[in-house]
């Protein structure tokens, strides 16, 4: 798409401003970049750091020092699997905990804490056998009761901050227990004995095994954490884990150190001995540390690369790019005027030049988004539901909205975003677009990640930057976010017909019919426009040529279980 005159000017403006911009922050999903969530594909296209877990011929000998240094940008909001909702927390939790299943290097789900499982003929009952050699870092055996306790803790209505509880709603009785006063005795989670966990689903769920690899489904050692609400606040004898690494130290707002877990059931596979996770919120600083050898990795999925550096990194061939099933968007607070009006929301969405943003600002080969579900899941969304960069259409929507609100013009509005060079640059561009196309004054509001999440959750915003990365490769992972207010739905938007369609999709076993139902739901969502999608993500990262066995997931995660370093 041809850029308008204003966007050509932006190229020059941003070429200068990018060098002056500061800071780094998190995305929100699994959700961003939940930004948890933490969430949504093809394998990474980069050549460096994309080898398999075994040394291939010609890679050289294993390095004597298996210490891996990486930046995670910021303090993880929570290292409690039941409370975490973001990608930073997930990046740590995925190394120190392990679920029944794990997503392997090929992107396929495989047995982890479960050594085997059986599925009933009607596809609603799963029976998992826990490994006999699975132990906690304090020596206790991992039991079926640990899973039962952890999952039921998330579903306990007394535990209010479990925003990802809905991930468990595929289990029979789970939603009723969490939201409707139902009994926990009716929830389909049963530890038949120490090593047998039986899970009954409300209906067949083709992605259930993938869910059991997600951190909300991780077990906790119930003998240690029961009655101790503060167990995940710091590194103490109570922070007991079962993954390939243990949490050695946690210097808040500075550094996390992980150590190889010698008692992990698959410890022979784990080559890295130490992982240093730094919390450097400035992308330029972390890139310089990478160049000087202080970091072995830079960029996604735990960090960001400076926008100004992207062109040169592309030119020298060091930049790795791969598709990422996720969407960057602006959330409208639909309870706040003027965004309680659908035509105003459509005006703001239509007045964004997405092609200009991805070509002139982010430059990571992202795809403009005019839909919610990424085209890696639904190919139809390559085109989407509305026109990109449609100032004339935006003005028409604005006129209708003003008339409905009884206004002559819009008052100033506030656009909020969390600390990041990229978020700031995009917000500045959008501020200019809305001023030019809608004649509205836009105030920019920047907050640090943890503060920002609190503001969004409390509804203290008008328009807020958000992102969502898939937790599993299914369209419902994007659509179910907005089924009810709360959790990861910051828009305060609800629609009964939309919610009913999501529920219908859960009981539909025919794949084509299920997709049709979900497509109808997305149509309703885009007609109401509670968010303005901006672009579909890509992964972009740098990796030293001695780093092997670390794959960047098209779902936005990374695992170091299979990573190793060779002699330089």
């Amino acid at each position: 798409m041809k850029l308008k005159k204003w966007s050509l000017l932006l190229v020059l403006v941003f070429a200068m401003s990018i060098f002056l911009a500061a800071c780094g922050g998190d995305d929100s999903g699994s959700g961003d970049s939940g930004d948890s969530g933490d969430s949504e594909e093809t394998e990474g296209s980069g050549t460096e750091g994309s080898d398999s877990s075994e040394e291939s011929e010609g890679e050289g000998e294993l390095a004597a020092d298996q210490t891996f240094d990486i930046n995670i940008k910021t303090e993880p909001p929570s290292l409690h699997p039941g409370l975490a909702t973001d990608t930073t927390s997930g990046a740590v939790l995925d190394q120190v905990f392990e679920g029944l299943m794990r997503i392997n290097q090929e992107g396929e789900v495989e047995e982890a804490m479960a050594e085997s499982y059986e599925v009933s003929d009607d596809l609603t009952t799963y029976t998992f056998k826990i490994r006999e050699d699975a132990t906690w870092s304090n020596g206790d055996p991992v039991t079926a009761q640990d899973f039962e306790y952890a999952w039921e803790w998330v579903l306990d209505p007394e535990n209010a901050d479990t925003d990802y509880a809905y991930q468990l709603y595929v289990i029979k009785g789970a939603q009723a227990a969490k939201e409707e006063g139902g009994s926990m005795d009716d929830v389909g989670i049963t530890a038949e004995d120490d090593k047998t966990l039986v899970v009954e689903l409300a209906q067949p769920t083709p992605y259930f095994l993938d869910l059991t690899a997600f951190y909300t489904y991780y077990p906790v050692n119930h003998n240690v954490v029961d009655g101790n609400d503060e167990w995940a606040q710091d590194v103490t004898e109570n922070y007991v884990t079962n993954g390939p690494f243990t949490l050695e130290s946690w210097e808040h707002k500075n550094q996390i150190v992980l150590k190889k877990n010698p008692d992990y059931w698959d410890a022979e596979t784990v080559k890295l001995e130490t992982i240093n996770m730094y919390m450097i919120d400035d992308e330029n600083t972390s890139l310089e540390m990478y160049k000087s050898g202080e970091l072995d990795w830079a960029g996604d999925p735990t960090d960001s690369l400076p926008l100004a550096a992207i062109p040169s990194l592309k030119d020298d061939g060091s930049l790795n790019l791969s598709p990422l099933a996720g969407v960057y968007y602006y959330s409208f607070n639909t309870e706040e005027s003027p965004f309680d009006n659908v035509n105003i929301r459509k005006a703001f969405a239509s007045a964004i030049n997405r092609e200009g943003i991805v070509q002139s600002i982010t430059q990571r080969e992202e795809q403009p988004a005019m839909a919610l579900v990424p085209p890696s899941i639904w190919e139809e969304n390559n085109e989407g539901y509305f026109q990109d960069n449609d100032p004339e259409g935006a003005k028409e929507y604005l006129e209708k909205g003003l008339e409905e609100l009884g206004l002559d013009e819009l008052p100033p509005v506030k656009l909020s975003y969390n600390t990041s060079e990229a978020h700031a640059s995009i917000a500045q561009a959008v501020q200019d677009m809305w001023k030019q196309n809608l004649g509205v004054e836009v105030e920019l509001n920047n907050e640090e990640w943890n503060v920002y999440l609190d503001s969004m959750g409390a509804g203290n915003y008008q328009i807020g930057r958000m992102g969502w990365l898939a937790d599993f490769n299914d369209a419902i992972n994007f659509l179910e976010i907005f089924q009810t207010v709360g959790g990861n739905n910051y828009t305060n938007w609800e629609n009964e017909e939309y919610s009913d369609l999501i529920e219908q999709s859960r009981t539909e076993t025919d794949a084509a019919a299920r997709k049709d139902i979900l497509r109808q739901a997305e149509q309703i969502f885009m007609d109401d426009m509670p968010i303005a999608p901006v672009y579909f993500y890509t992964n972009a990262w740098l990796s030293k040529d001695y780093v092997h066995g670390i794959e960047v997931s098209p779902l936005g995660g990374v695992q170091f279980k299979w990573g190793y370093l060779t002699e330089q």
Side-chain angles (χ1 to χ4, degrees):
M1 180 177 293
K2 212 172 178 183
L3 301 185
K4 299 291 185 183
K5 288 181 180 177
W6 69 264
S7 62
L8 294 176
L9 176 62
L10 280 177
V11 175
L12 300 176
V13 172
F14 286 115
M16 295 301 297
S17 66
I18 280 168
F19 287 97
L20 302 175
C23 41
D26 279 0
D27 293 331
S28 141
S30 118
D32 316 58
S33 79
D35 299 77
S36 218
D38 93 275
S39 359
E40 17 354 31
E41 303 175 29
T42 63
E43 290 296 321
S45 61
T47 56
E48 295 182 80
S50 57
D51 306 276
S52 67
S53 59
E54 297 182 13
E55 299 109 295
S56 59
E57 198 171 330
E59 284 178 359
E61 298 181 2
L62 281 177
D65 183 4
Q66 291 292 317
T67 300
F68 181 69
D69 296 303
I70 193 168
N71 184 34
I72 60 171
K73 293 184 68 173
T74 187
E75 175 82 2
S78 178
L79 292 186
H80 186 314
L83 295 175
T85 60
D86 68 291
T87 54
T88 303
S89 302
V92 182
L93 292 169
D94 288 345
Q95 321 314 322
V96 298
F97 282 91
E98 184 166 85
L100 293 166
M101 309 293 284
R102 180 181 281 273
I103 306 298
N104 65 22
Q105 295 293 73
E106 287 70 50
E108 298 170 352
V109 67
E110 66 181 18
E111 290 87 348
M113 283 291 102
E115 65 180 8
S116 64
Y117 65 91
E118 295 179 356
V119 187
S120 64
D121 292 340
D122 65 0
L123 306 179
T124 61
T125 302
Y126 287 71
T127 302
F128 297 94
K129 289 293 183 182
I130 311 299
R131 294 181 184 278
E132 292 294 335
D133 56 351
T135 63
W136 291 100
S137 53
N138 68 348
D140 291 349
V142 177
T143 66
Q145 288 88 348
D146 293 325
F147 285 91
E148 181 181 45
Y149 175 90
W151 298 2
E152 290 185 350
W153 187 92
V154 172
L155 294 173
D156 187 341
E158 293 296 314
N159 300 320
D161 293 330
T162 53
D163 288 348
Y164 256 146
Y166 67 83
Q167 296 282 33
L168 294 160
Y169 288 177
V170 299
I171 299 173
K172 187 185 77 173
Q175 185 170 4
K178 185 69 174 180
E179 299 181 2
E180 302 162 13
S183 171
M184 202 66 74
D185 293 337
D186 297 328
V187 176
I189 308 168
T190 306
E192 287 197 342
D193 57 49
D194 287 351
K195 294 294 181 179
T196 307
L197 180 71
V198 178
V199 185
E200 299 172 80
L201 305 184
Q203 60 275 323
T205 305
Y207 52 86
F208 177 65
L209 288 178
D210 296 71
L211 282 175
T212 67
F214 188 64
Y215 53 74
T216 310
Y217 279 78
Y218 287 166
V220 297
N221 187 328
H222 73 283
N223 292 319
V224 173
V225 308
D226 190 21
N228 179 9
D229 293 339
E230 306 299 316
W231 70 271
Q233 298 296 313
D234 219 326
V235 179
T236 67
E237 62 182 7
N238 295 318
Y239 199 84
V240 178
T241 62
N242 69 324
F245 300 92
T246 60
L247 193 63
E248 175 77 6
S249 64
W250 183 0
E251 187 180 346
H252 292 279
K253 298 185 178 179
N254 184 40
Q255 182 182 0
I256 282 174
V257 178
L258 308 183
K259 289 289 186 180
K260 177 178 176 177
N261 181 1
D263 298 320
Y264 176 58
W265 70 271
D266 196 22
E268 281 188 11
T269 296
V270 183
K271 301 296 190 296
L272 296 176
E273 294 288 343
T274 303
I275 302 174
N276 294 312
M277 295 179 155
Y278 300 97
M279 302 174 197
I280 303 152
D281 68 358
D282 184 90
E283 291 100 329
N284 291 290
T285 301
S286 61
L287 179 58
E288 286 306 311
M289 290 177 67
Y290 174 82
K291 290 179 177 179
S292 68
E294 296 173 79
L295 295 176
D296 302 308
W297 190 284
D300 292 322
T302 63
D303 192 8
S304 300
L305 295 170
L307 294 179
I310 297 294
S312 63
L313 295 173
K314 280 184 178 179
D315 290 343
D316 68 21
S318 63
L319 183 67
N320 299 285
L321 290 170
S322 68
L324 174 58
V327 60
Y328 186 107
Y329 65 90
Y330 284 122
S331 172
F332 296 119
N333 187 345
T334 61
E335 288 186 345
E336 285 283 323
S337 180
F339 300 106
D340 54 353
N341 181 277
V342 64
N343 283 308
I344 297 296
R345 298 196 295 267
K346 287 184 175 183
F348 276 72
S350 299
I352 298 173
N353 184 344
R354 295 158 180 80
E355 186 72 23
I357 288 171
V358 302
Q359 291 293 334
S360 304
I361 302 176
T362 60
Q363 305 178 79
R364 292 159 42 123
E365 300 180 13
E366 298 95 341
Q367 180 175 341
M370 281 75 75
L372 173 61
V373 178
S376 59
I377 295 176
W378 280 346
E379 188 177 348
E380 298 92 328
N381 283 351
N382 279 307
E383 294 186 10
Y385 292 84
F386 62 98
Q387 182 181 334
D388 181 28
N389 188 27
D390 182 17
E392 294 309 313
K395 288 181 174 68
E396 291 178 13
Y397 284 126
L398 177 64
E399 217 172 284
K400 290 179 187 175
L402 289 173
E403 185 178 344
E404 290 165 352
L405 292 171
L407 298 173
D408 294 324
E409 62 180 14
L410 284 180
V413 300
K414 183 181 290 187
L415 171 58
S416 301
Y417 60 93
N418 59 292
T419 302
S420 161
E421 177 192 17
H423 301 335
S425 295
I426 294 168
Q428 290 159 20
V430 171
Q431 177 188 42
D432 184 85
M433 296 170 195
W434 286 341
K435 171 64 175 175
Q436 179 169 324
N437 295 330
L438 302 176
V440 63
E441 296 293 335
V442 180
E443 176 190 346
L444 299 183
N445 176 49
N446 168 230
E447 294 176 337
E448 293 300 323
W449 181 235
N450 288 346
V451 176
Y452 183 72
L453 282 180
D454 289 342
S455 296
M456 294 291 288
N460 296 328
Y461 80 101
Q462 284 185 293
I463 313 168
R465 185 221 72 86
M466 269 292 155
W468 188 258
L469 306 180
D471 303 319
F472 51 93
N473 196 28
D474 192 279
I476 199 171
N477 186 220
F478 290 83
L479 296 162
E480 68 184 354
I481 301 168
F482 302 99
Q483 186 174 3
T484 56
V485 169
N488 293 301
N489 179 7
Y490 300 107
T491 67
N492 293 313
W493 176 87
E494 282 184 311
N495 181 289
E496 186 175 352
E497 184 182 1
Y498 178 89
S499 181
D500 288 345
L501 286 167
I502 299 298
E503 287 306 312
Q504 286 179 41
S505 77
R506 298 186 192 282
T507 57
E508 179 55 66
T509 56
D510 180 81
R514 177 176 180 268
K515 179 179 178 179
D516 182 62
I517 292 169
L518 292 175
R519 292 285 294 174
Q520 291 178 51
E522 188 181 41
Q523 181 71 65
I524 291 170
F525 183 82
M526 297 310 302
D527 285 344
D528 253 15
M529 202 72 78
I531 70 167
V534 180
Y535 61 77
F536 297 118
Y537 283 105
T538 57
N539 287 307
W541 76 96
L542 305 173
S543 175
K544 298 292 187 181
D545 58 10
Y546 54 78
V547 175
H548 306 282
I550 298 175
E551 299 284 355
V552 178
S553 166
L555 297 180
V558 65
Q559 299 185 58
F560 302 127
K561 170 178 174 174
W562 293 282
Y564 63 95
L565 311 179
T566 54
E567 292 291 352
Q568 300 179 40

